[in-house]
Amino acid sequence: MKKLALEGYLQGLTFFLGFSLFTQTLLANEVKLHGVQQAVITTSLGNIEIELYSEQAPVSVSNFIRYIEAGAFSNGRFYRVVRLDNDNGSPKIEVIQGGANTEFKDFAAIPLETTKQTGITHLDGVLSMARGAPDTATSEFFICIGAQPSLDFGGLRNPDGQGFAAFGRVTKGMHIVRKIHLIRDALEVEDNYVKGQMLAQPVTISNMTLTKN
């Protein structure tokens, strides 16, 4: 009985080790395959193609993909534009900001992945997570128009100096981003910080879909 038990244990151990090696190989292939994930933002003005850097910014990308897969961005919108001529903060920046369908209930907020951690800086066309305090980002994101170094770690735009979590960039359709950025018909709002920035008619995000690598 002891011999049989030992043989059974050895067979089980061999299976476990083999399975673990197989699983590790699958995970390695998964990381290699999905190190850069592509997606398409379909808007009422045209398509914006993006790539997401899951190896450099795994937390932010996993969060963003979770919202895409949940259909959160169907009937979402680009609703805020910040330009040099309407920015009420300092240093001045240029971005467009978007988010999920207003009826979608956000998932829990995620930890902040700074540009110091990821190495992804806020250059032209870069996607980044909108936030208030650190570790509060959910579904809101923005796209940079031109380089915005004040949004990086150590930048002066946010008083806490942590910057924002950049996680991807536009690969095609920056002309659509710039077209949104030029819209000037804004809502009347009481908050002076966003005065002149909230679009009277947000640009609809009809869908956002992941594409095969």
XYZ file of all heavy atoms in Angstrom, residues 2-18:
134
model
N 1.977 1.185 0.799
C 2.851 2.346 0.858
C 3.498 2.602 -0.500
O 3.677 3.731 -0.926
C 3.914 2.152 1.924
C 3.364 2.202 3.349
C 4.485 2.042 4.364
C 3.939 2.126 5.786
N 5.005 1.958 6.796
N 3.865 1.469 -1.185
C 4.492 1.605 -2.494
C 3.535 2.231 -3.490
O 3.882 3.119 -4.262
C 4.958 0.236 -2.997
C 5.717 0.315 -4.325
C 6.188 -1.057 -4.741
C 6.936 -0.983 -6.077
N 7.397 -2.302 -6.509
N 2.286 1.766 -3.439
C 1.279 2.309 -4.338
C 1.026 3.786 -4.035
O 0.867 4.611 -4.942
C -0.032 1.524 -4.214
C -0.015 0.106 -4.796
C -1.323 -0.599 -4.474
C 0.194 0.160 -6.302
N 0.995 4.116 -2.746
C 0.774 5.509 -2.353
C 1.913 6.386 -2.845
O 1.705 7.495 -3.328
C 0.646 5.609 -0.831
N 3.163 5.855 -2.716
C 4.323 6.615 -3.164
C 4.286 6.812 -4.675
O 4.563 7.900 -5.193
C 5.606 5.895 -2.757
C 6.918 6.578 -3.187
C 6.998 7.983 -2.600
C 8.116 5.733 -2.757
N 3.926 5.731 -5.399
C 3.841 5.830 -6.850
C 2.767 6.840 -7.263
O 2.955 7.633 -8.186
C 3.532 4.455 -7.452
C 4.696 3.483 -7.377
C 4.326 2.104 -7.896
O 3.123 1.855 -8.129
O 5.236 1.282 -8.061
N 1.649 6.789 -6.530
C 0.577 7.732 -6.830
C 1.011 9.165 -6.572
O 0.715 10.080 -7.343
N 1.777 9.351 -5.481
C 2.274 10.690 -5.151
C 3.229 11.201 -6.232
O 3.150 12.340 -6.670
C 2.986 10.642 -3.793
C 3.741 11.918 -3.466
C 3.057 13.056 -3.039
C 5.129 11.972 -3.608
C 3.748 14.229 -2.757
C 5.816 13.141 -3.325
C 5.126 14.260 -2.895
O 5.814 15.408 -2.619
N 4.139 10.306 -6.677
C 5.114 10.687 -7.693
C 4.436 11.014 -9.014
O 4.803 11.961 -9.707
C 6.146 9.569 -7.887
C 7.107 9.361 -6.709
C 7.984 8.132 -6.945
C 7.978 10.593 -6.488
N 3.412 10.196 -9.358
C 2.675 10.473 -10.589
C 1.951 11.823 -10.496
O 1.934 12.612 -11.447
C 1.662 9.356 -10.845
C 2.304 8.040 -11.259
C 1.268 6.928 -11.381
O 0.105 7.108 -11.044
N 1.722 5.767 -11.861
N 1.376 12.068 -9.323
C 0.681 13.336 -9.117
C 1.634 14.509 -9.180
O 1.331 15.552 -9.754
N 2.820 14.343 -8.574
C 3.816 15.407 -8.596
C 4.292 15.687 -10.016
O 4.440 16.844 -10.423
C 5.006 15.021 -7.712
C 6.132 16.056 -7.598
C 5.600 17.348 -6.980
C 7.279 15.498 -6.761
N 4.504 14.602 -10.779
C 4.932 14.748 -12.172
C 3.883 15.496 -12.981
O 4.195 16.394 -13.771
C 5.188 13.367 -12.815
O 6.205 12.711 -12.074
C 5.635 13.519 -14.265
N 2.616 15.128 -12.748
C 1.520 15.798 -13.454
C 1.463 17.275 -13.077
O 1.324 18.157 -13.928
C 0.186 15.132 -13.104
C -1.015 15.861 -13.659
C -1.385 15.722 -14.989
C -1.764 16.713 -12.853
C -2.475 16.408 -15.504
C -2.845 17.404 -13.362
C -3.201 17.240 -14.678
N 1.610 17.556 -11.747
C 1.537 18.929 -11.266
C 2.643 19.795 -11.865
O 2.410 20.896 -12.335
C 1.638 18.954 -9.738
C 1.722 20.345 -9.164
C 0.599 21.156 -9.080
C 2.945 20.858 -8.731
C 0.687 22.447 -8.574
C 3.024 22.133 -8.230
C 1.906 22.931 -8.144
N 3.873 19.241 -11.867
C 5.005 19.980 -12.408
C 4.840 20.216 -13.905
O 5.130 21.291 -14.423
C 6.313 19.238 -12.123
C 6.738 19.193 -10.651
C 7.966 18.300 -10.492
C 7.026 20.588 -10.123
N 4.349 19.166 -14.584
C 4.119 19.296 -16.022
C 3.046 20.320 -16.313
O 3.181 21.146 -17.217
